Amino acid sequence: MHAIRFVVPALVPTGGRDFSRAVMVLAAVLMAVGSAAGQSSAAQPVSTTAAPSAEHPLRPAIQIARTSLQALQSVRDYECRFLKRERINGQLQTQVMFLRLREEPFSVYLRFGEPHPGREVLYVAGRNNNQMLAHEGSGVKAIFGTVSLPLDSPEVRAENRHPLTEIGLRKLLELLIEQWEAEAQFGEIDVQYYPDARLGEIACRVVEASHPYPRRQFRYHITRLYLDARTHLPVRVENYGWPERGGREPVLMEEYTYLELRPNVPLDDRHFDRECPEYNF
């Protein structure tokens, strides 16, 4: 198995290009945004708030996400490095994996790096009683070899905030759009654009939506969507909760990063067969 290593720095805004170059469908809106950014310092994001009669500030953000989703229509399958950080039972867990994903039929193969080197997971919608196949790479559990697990089994839920059927770029955007569409029914929302951010070596455009106060209708305090500036495809989503009592920093609840993306490999049935010679099921 290839070594898996990530160096992913935090979001770094670098100033004010016209955001409409990234998403042409929003040219009129984002030209104004870019103009405002050009008048601010390099470290300042471009912020939008809603006047009583203005368009809701989330509407342009939702359109940006929809435009990225449209860019995914030609992507039938892909390989990438997948970094997942999730807060489960109060503890932040990190997993690094090699991911293969095919959209039709929905199929997923995962090979873990840290913290479970050698673990493999395979899932194909409608096969194996619609269960995932999994095995550990070492330790006592490895003795049992390959096991079948329901997607909502306690063993699976203990390490995941979302079911396996919600992994991948397309679902990432669909869930985000669903969240923002629901939040667009309310106020207390600020939207900021970072037109020249970076994620490691990747030039990104970032959309950030935040809420000043915890409300029942708001799932997260801050949500950030990172789009590759070249392909317009999503490469990361971050979701933060409100600061804990006495704290000042928001609490990271979940973060999903897709790097080294190789679209339309192509992948076929042999890549999602437990007998594939590359695998150890």
Side-chain angles (χ1 to χ4, degrees):
M1 183 179 69
H2 298 294
I4 302 176
R5 181 172 180 269
F6 285 100
V7 180
V8 184
L11 172 65
V12 181
T14 58
R17 280 189 202 151
D18 185 353
F19 198 57
S20 64
R21 287 180 294 178
V23 189
M24 295 302 296
V25 72
L26 296 177
V29 174
L30 297 179
M31 283 177 65
V33 170
S35 176
Q39 298 173 8
S40 60
S41 67
Q44 296 298 316
V46 180
S47 178
T48 62
T49 56
S53 61
E55 179 184 43
H56 193 284
L58 269 177
R59 286 298 164 195
I62 291 169
Q63 186 56 53
I64 289 169
R66 290 191 182 280
T67 300
S68 182
L69 185 61
Q70 184 63 35
L72 271 172
Q73 295 305 308
S74 62
V75 178
R76 299 179 301 276
D77 58 63
Y78 50 88
E79 297 178 339
C80 67
R81 303 293 184 185
F82 177 48
L83 172 63
K84 180 180 74 169
R85 295 204 293 165
E86 295 181 319
R87 192 168 299 276
I88 299 174
N89 296 324
Q91 299 297 316
L92 192 62
Q93 301 184 16
T94 300
Q95 295 179 336
V96 183
M97 294 156 272
F98 169 70
L99 166 66
R100 280 177 170 160
L101 187 146
R102 177 178 60 175
E103 294 293 350
E104 293 292 340
F106 186 74
S107 310
V108 175
Y109 168 76
L110 293 168
R111 182 172 67 241
F112 283 63
E114 297 300 328
H116 306 290
R119 175 190 286 181
E120 292 180 295
V121 172
L122 183 65
Y123 172 76
V124 180
R127 298 184 190 173
N128 304 309
N129 295 318
N130 216 38
Q131 297 185 341
M132 67 173 67
L133 302 178
H135 74 81
E136 297 293 341
S138 60
V140 175
K141 291 184 178 180
I143 298 173
F144 297 98
T146 299
V147 297
S148 297
L149 293 170
L151 301 182
D152 61 350
S153 68
E155 297 94 332
V156 175
R157 287 189 286 108
E159 294 186 13
N160 298 277
R161 287 171 59 88
H162 298 271
L164 189 60
T165 49
E166 293 184 358
I167 197 172
L169 302 177
R170 190 180 307 276
K171 199 63 180 179
L172 177 146
L173 285 172
E174 290 175 348
L175 290 172
L176 178 63
I177 291 169
E178 179 183 341
Q179 173 191 328
W180 280 350
E181 286 284 5
E183 293 178 356
Q185 308 304 310
F186 306 95
E188 296 186 345
I189 296 174
D190 179 66
V191 180
Q192 299 182 359
Y193 299 93
Y194 296 79
D196 299 287
R198 298 196 70 83
L199 182 62
E201 298 301 315
I202 303 173
C204 293
R205 282 141 170 113
V206 176
V207 182
E208 177 186 280
S210 61
H211 312 284
Y213 307 108
R215 307 291 189 196
R216 180 180 301 177
Q217 62 266 27
F218 300 142
R219 190 177 308 171
Y220 301 110
H221 173 35
I222 299 171
T223 294
R224 292 192 187 117
L225 169 64
Y226 293 65
L227 300 174
D228 186 307
R230 180 178 59 87
T231 66
H232 311 312
L233 298 180
V235 290
R236 173 185 277 185
V237 161
E238 300 170 355
N239 284 311
Y240 292 85
W242 280 265
E244 296 176 345
R245 181 174 297 179
R248 295 184 178 181
E249 297 298 321
V251 178
L252 179 64
M253 302 305 296
E254 55 186 34
E255 174 190 276
Y256 307 102
T257 307
Y258 296 80
L259 299 177
E260 302 173 33
L261 184 68
R262 294 182 58 229
N264 299 325
V265 176
L267 301 175
D268 54 35
D269 286 345
R270 59 183 172 170
H271 295 101
F272 301 99
D273 189 328
R274 65 182 297 176
E275 301 301 326
C276 178
E278 298 180 40
Y279 308 157
N280 294 308
F281 289 99

